Structure formats: C-alpha cells, structure tokens
Amino acid sequence: GCYYWEFLIILRKVLLILISIFTNYLSFKWRTIFILITLLIFIRLQVGYQPYTTKKLNTFESVSLFLLYITAIFGLLMYSLENTTARQVFYALVLIVNGVFIVCCGIYLVQLVINMVKKKIREIKASHEKAKKVEKTPNPSAMTSVKDLQVDENELRH
C-alpha cells in the first residue's frame, strides 16, 4: 500500500504555494516553469505508483494533475501573447477544459451516490426478506400437536 501518499499530496500543495510566494522576484515565466516542473514530478509519481485502490480514482487524480499542468501552460501562453484575441481564445480554452472536468466530476459523484443508495436498498431488501423467512418458519418447540390437545378421559375424572 501507499500509506504515505497523503504526505506526498500535502508536499505537492506546499511546494506549489512556496513557489508562488517565494519566487515573486522572478518573472511570471520562471515561476510558471518551476510550477510546471513540480507538477511533472508529481504527475510521474501518480502515474507510476497508482496509489489508489480503484482504477477510477487513479485516473481521476492523474487527469486532474494533467489539467492543472495544461492550465499552467495555457496561463503561460496567455501571459506571453500580445494579441488580446489570442489571449481570449486561451482563456476560453482554460474555462472550457476545466468546466468539462468539473461537470464530469459532478456526474461521477452523483453516480457514486446513486450506486451507494442502490446497494443500501438491496441490503435492506435482503434483510427484510430474511426476516420474513424467519417469521414464516414454524418453531417446532412452540407448536402443539393434535395429540397434545386431546384430553384423556382418565385425566378429566381425577
């Protein structure tokens, strides 16, 4: 297992924040390059180790890191372009790509919740059916036979 993975996620976030804060004296271009290098390292770690238990979670994390990388590249391109129309195109691309990702995440989460609810309903139904079977099964110790109900004439006379 990758029990240390949460530490690496925290380290990634701290490094990105430190690069953003402590490289103010550098140009935007160089800050972005340091951020891109950091992201590449963590993308490589994510793809190489696949630390999550399901393929969907590993794919989700890899895609989100890749989109962050693409967003940083588009930001660098927008910053370096003089043409405002080209800047607007890159800005729109960033919004569209990240918007699609957010919508996909929302759909995935809704599907996850629906599957969890369906599973819980199946468990409740199975439990209910099991309880019905227990109720219908006769208890041999509680049953009285016709023989037990018949009274012997000799018992009535005493």
Side-chain angles (χ1 to χ4, degrees), residues 1-2 50-58:
C2 295
Q50 298 285 307
Y52 298 109
T53 55
T54 66
K55 185 177 180 179
K56 277 188 178 182
L57 289 175
N58 283 309

Side-chain angles (χ1 to χ4, degrees), residues 124-142:
I124 291 170
K125 282 182 179 179
S127 175
H128 184 66
E129 291 297 321
K130 188 176 180 181
K132 276 185 175 180
K133 286 180 183 178
V134 169
E135 287 176 6
K136 289 181 180 180
T137 305
N139 186 351
S141 62

Side-chain angles (χ1 to χ4, degrees), residues 2-69:
C2 295
Y3 59 89
Y4 54 86
W5 201 256
E6 281 300 318
F7 171 75
L8 289 176
I9 290 174
I10 293 169
L11 178 64
R12 178 185 73 216
K13 291 176 181 182
V14 167
L15 285 174
L16 292 174
I17 290 168
L18 289 175
I19 290 169
S20 297
I21 292 173
F22 292 111
T23 58
N24 281 337
Y25 60 92
L26 296 175
S27 68
F28 176 78
K29 176 179 142 183
W30 281 105
R31 278 186 287 169
T32 306
I33 288 171
F34 284 127
I35 287 172
L36 290 171
I37 291 169
T38 304
L39 287 173
L40 274 177
I41 292 167
F42 283 98
I43 289 170
R44 176 63 185 107
L45 289 171
Q46 170 63 37
V47 171
Y49 284 101
Q50 298 285 307
Y52 298 109
T53 55
T54 66
K55 185 177 180 179
K56 277 188 178 182
L57 289 175
N58 283 309
T59 302
F60 178 77
E61 182 72 9
S62 297
V63 169
S64 66
L65 286 172
F66 181 71
L67 284 176
L68 186 57
Y69 185 81

Side-chain angles (χ1 to χ4, degrees), residues 40-155:
L40 274 177
I41 292 167
F42 283 98
I43 289 170
R44 176 63 185 107
L45 289 171
Q46 170 63 37
V47 171
Y49 284 101
Q50 298 285 307
Y52 298 109
T53 55
T54 66
K55 185 177 180 179
K56 277 188 178 182
L57 289 175
N58 283 309
T59 302
F60 178 77
E61 182 72 9
S62 297
V63 169
S64 66
L65 286 172
F66 181 71
L67 284 176
L68 186 57
Y69 185 81
I70 294 298
T71 300
I73 288 175
F74 282 174
L76 185 61
L77 290 172
M78 284 188 311
Y79 182 78
S80 62
L81 291 173
E82 296 294 326
N83 185 340
T84 56
T85 305
R87 278 186 178 186
Q88 290 173 347
V89 168
F90 278 110
Y91 185 73
L93 283 173
V94 167
L95 287 176
I96 290 168
V97 168
N98 285 287
V100 168
F101 180 70
I102 289 170
V103 168
C104 289
C105 291
I107 291 170
Y108 175 73
L109 289 174
V110 167
Q111 288 175 341
L112 189 65
V113 169
I114 289 170
N115 289 337
M116 288 172 53
V117 168
K118 284 180 179 178
K119 182 180 177 185
K120 195 64 172 173
I121 289 171
R122 283 192 300 270
E123 289 173 1
I124 291 170
K125 282 182 179 179
S127 175
H128 184 66
E129 291 297 321
K130 188 176 180 181
K132 276 185 175 180
K133 286 180 183 178
V134 169
E135 287 176 6
K136 289 181 180 180
T137 305
N139 186 351
S141 62
M143 289 181 55
T144 56
S145 67
V146 174
K147 190 177 183 180
D148 292 338
L149 294 176
Q150 291 176 346
V151 180
D152 189 13
E153 287 180 29
N154 292 330
E155 288 180 23

